[in-house]
Amino acid sequence: MEKEIAEEYIALIPTLFDSFSELNKDAAELTHMQNHVIEYIYMQQKALNLKEISAGLNMAKQQLTFIIRDLVMDGYLAKEPDHKDKRAVLISLTPTGKKTQEEKWQNIYHKFHQNLGKLSEEECRDLNFALHKVNQLLKKMERK
Amino acid sequence: MEKEIAEEYIALIPTLFDSFSELNKDAAELTHMQNHVIEYIYMQQKALNLKEISAGLNMAKQQLTFIIRDLVMDGYLAKEPDHKDKRAVLISLTPTGKKTQEEKWQNIYHKFHQNLGKLSEEECRDLNFALHKVNQLLKKMERK
DNA sequence: CTAACTAGTAAATATTTTATTACTAATTTG
DNA sequence: CAAATTAGTAATAAAATATTTACTAGTTAG
C-alpha cells in the first residue's frame, strides 16, 4: 500500500503546479528571485535569518544580501537584529510586503472557488473532508 | 462551506512546496529555465508546441527558441513538425530527457516513503484514501 | 483572394542571477 | 582562552534571463 500512497502523493504535485505557477503571473515590479524570497518568508509564517532563507531556497547567501537590501529599501521586508545570536539578522515581511502576497493568493482563491461549481454538493463535502485529512496527515509527517 | 474548502486547498500548496522545490536541488548540469522547460513538458505528458510552453511557463517565446535548441542539441528534447499546423513544431522528451525527470521524482518518492513511517497503519489507510479522493476531484474540477 | 493574424526564429541589448573570493564580527568547541 | 566555525556583507566577473524589434512562412476571417 505504501507504494500506492506515494504515487498518489506524486500525482498531486503536478495538479497543484498550475495554481502555484500562476502566483507570480503579473507581479511585474519585482524580479523572480525577489518574488521567491518574499514568497518563501510568507509561507514560513515567521521571521527568518539569511541562512534559513538561503537553505530553503537553495541559493548562496551572498546573493541574498543584495536581494534583501533592495526589498528592504522598497518597503517589502524589514530587518531586525536577532537577540539570541548577535551575528544574525531576522527578516520579516512589512505590512506592505504581506499585502502583496495576500493579493496573489487571493487570485488563486478566486479561480478555485469558480471551479468548485463543477462539483456536486456531495462531491464538495467529500473534497472538503479529504483535503482536510490530507493536510492534517502531511503536516504530521513533516514534523521532526 | 466553499470558503472552507478553498482554504484547505490554499493550505495544501505550501505543504507541497518543499517537495516541489527539492526537485531541482542537484540538477546542476542544466540551467533553471532548461529544467523548468523539461519539467513542464514531463508534467503535461504530451508533446507541446512552443506557444503552449511559453504560455504555461509564462515566458516569452523568443527565449524558448534558444533554450529548446540547446536542449535538443544535448539530447533531452526532440522536435517534430506538427502536421495539423505547418507553422508549428511539437516538442517532446527523448528517452534520455524522460529518464532525468523520472530520477528527480524518484528522490521525492523516497523521501516521502521514509516519512510515511511516522504514521500509524490506520493513518496510512486514511491518507491513501484522502489523497486519492483529492486527486480525483481536483482533476474533475480542472476539466473543461 | 486579400488582409489580418499567428507560430516560430533571430539578433541586439539590458538586466538579473550565479560563482568566486575575501573579509568582519559573533559564537562555539576543546 | 585560543582555534575553528558560523552569519552576514561586499566586490567582481561570468553566465543566464528578459526585453525589444523584426522577419518568414503558414493560417484564418471577411
Side-chain angles (χ1 to χ4, degrees):
Chain A
M1 171 166 79
E2 299 200 337
K3 189 172 169 240
E4 212 179 320
I5 307 181
E7 276 165 9
E8 292 282 358
Y9 175 77
I10 300 284
L12 187 54
I13 297 180
T15 306
L16 291 199
F17 174 81
D18 285 337
S19 285
F20 194 71
S21 68
E22 244 171 62
L23 252 186
N24 296 309
K25 196 144 248 173
D26 15 87
E29 29 197 312
L30 299 178
T31 68
H32 284 186
M33 283 301 126
Q34 288 178 327
N35 269 312
H36 278 159
V37 170
I38 297 189
E39 200 168 85
Y40 185 70
I41 298 171
Y42 182 73
M43 290 199 321
Q44 299 298 313
Q45 308 252 39
K46 58 171 184 176
L48 301 167
N49 65 33
L50 239 131
K51 183 72 186 308
E52 292 168 321
I53 301 171
S54 152
L57 290 177
N58 202 34
M59 69 194 292
K61 60 180 184 174
Q62 296 94 313
Q63 284 180 63
L64 282 174
T65 298
F66 299 98
I67 291 173
I68 285 170
R69 185 195 58 189
D70 293 347
L71 288 172
V72 168
M73 284 201 310
D74 294 347
Y76 294 99
L77 298 182
K79 281 167 106 168
E80 55 171 337
D82 181 349
H83 295 303
K84 288 182 192 151
D85 183 339
K86 281 176 186 165
R87 294 169 303 181
V89 182
L90 292 174
I91 319 284
S92 56
L93 290 171
T94 61
T96 307
K98 195 174 271 179
K99 214 182 76 193
T100 59
Q101 288 313 102
E102 280 161 358
E103 278 165 10
K104 295 197 305 189
W105 287 96
Q106 199 65 20
N107 293 335
I108 294 185
Y109 184 96
H110 275 310
K111 202 157 275 175
F112 181 80
H113 203 278
Q114 283 182 333
N115 280 338
L116 220 45
K118 293 180 193 159
L119 299 184
S120 73
E121 203 173 318
E122 196 192 337
E123 286 171 328
C124 278
R125 268 197 303 277
D126 283 356
L127 180 59
N128 190 22
F129 183 77
L131 276 172
H132 184 73
K133 201 80 198 169
V134 166
N135 274 323
Q136 180 199 330
L137 291 173
L138 288 184
K139 280 253 162 58
K140 185 166 187 179
M141 283 174 64
E142 267 176 14
R143 283 203 289 275
K144 206 173 50 91
Chain B
M1 174 167 76
E2 298 199 337
K3 191 174 168 237
E4 212 179 320
I5 308 180
E7 276 166 9
E8 292 282 357
Y9 175 76
I10 300 284
L12 187 54
I13 298 181
T15 306
L16 291 198
F17 174 82
D18 285 338
S19 284
F20 194 72
S21 68
E22 244 171 62
L23 251 186
N24 296 309
K25 195 146 249 173
D26 16 85
E29 30 197 311
L30 299 177
T31 68
H32 285 184
M33 284 300 125
Q34 287 178 327
N35 269 313
H36 278 158
V37 169
I38 297 189
E39 198 168 87
Y40 185 70
I41 299 170
Y42 182 72
M43 291 200 320
Q44 299 297 313
Q45 308 252 39
K46 58 171 184 177
L48 300 167
N49 66 32
L50 239 131
K51 184 70 187 308
E52 291 168 321
I53 300 172
S54 151
L57 290 176
N58 201 34
M59 69 195 292
K61 59 181 182 173
Q62 296 94 314
Q63 284 180 64
L64 282 174
T65 298
F66 300 98
I67 291 174
I68 285 170
R69 185 195 58 190
D70 293 346
L71 288 172
V72 169
M73 284 200 310
D74 293 346
Y76 295 100
L77 297 182
K79 281 167 104 168
E80 55 173 335
D82 181 348
H83 296 302
K84 289 184 191 148
D85 184 339
K86 282 176 186 165
R87 294 168 304 178
V89 182
L90 293 174
I91 320 283
S92 57
L93 291 171
T94 61
T96 307
K98 195 174 273 178
K99 214 182 75 192
T100 60
Q101 288 313 102
E102 281 161 357
E103 278 164 10
K104 295 197 307 186
W105 288 95
Q106 199 65 21
N107 293 335
I108 294 186
Y109 184 97
H110 274 311
K111 200 157 277 176
F112 181 80
H113 203 279
Q114 282 183 333
N115 280 337
L116 220 44
K118 294 181 194 160
L119 299 184
S120 73
E121 203 173 317
E122 195 192 339
E123 285 171 329
C124 278
R125 268 198 304 278
D126 284 355
L127 179 59
N128 191 22
F129 183 77
L131 277 172
H132 183 74
K133 201 80 198 170
V134 166
N135 274 323
Q136 179 199 330
L137 291 172
L138 288 183
K139 279 250 162 54
K140 185 165 187 181
M141 283 174 64
E142 266 175 14
R143 283 205 289 275
K144 207 172 53 87

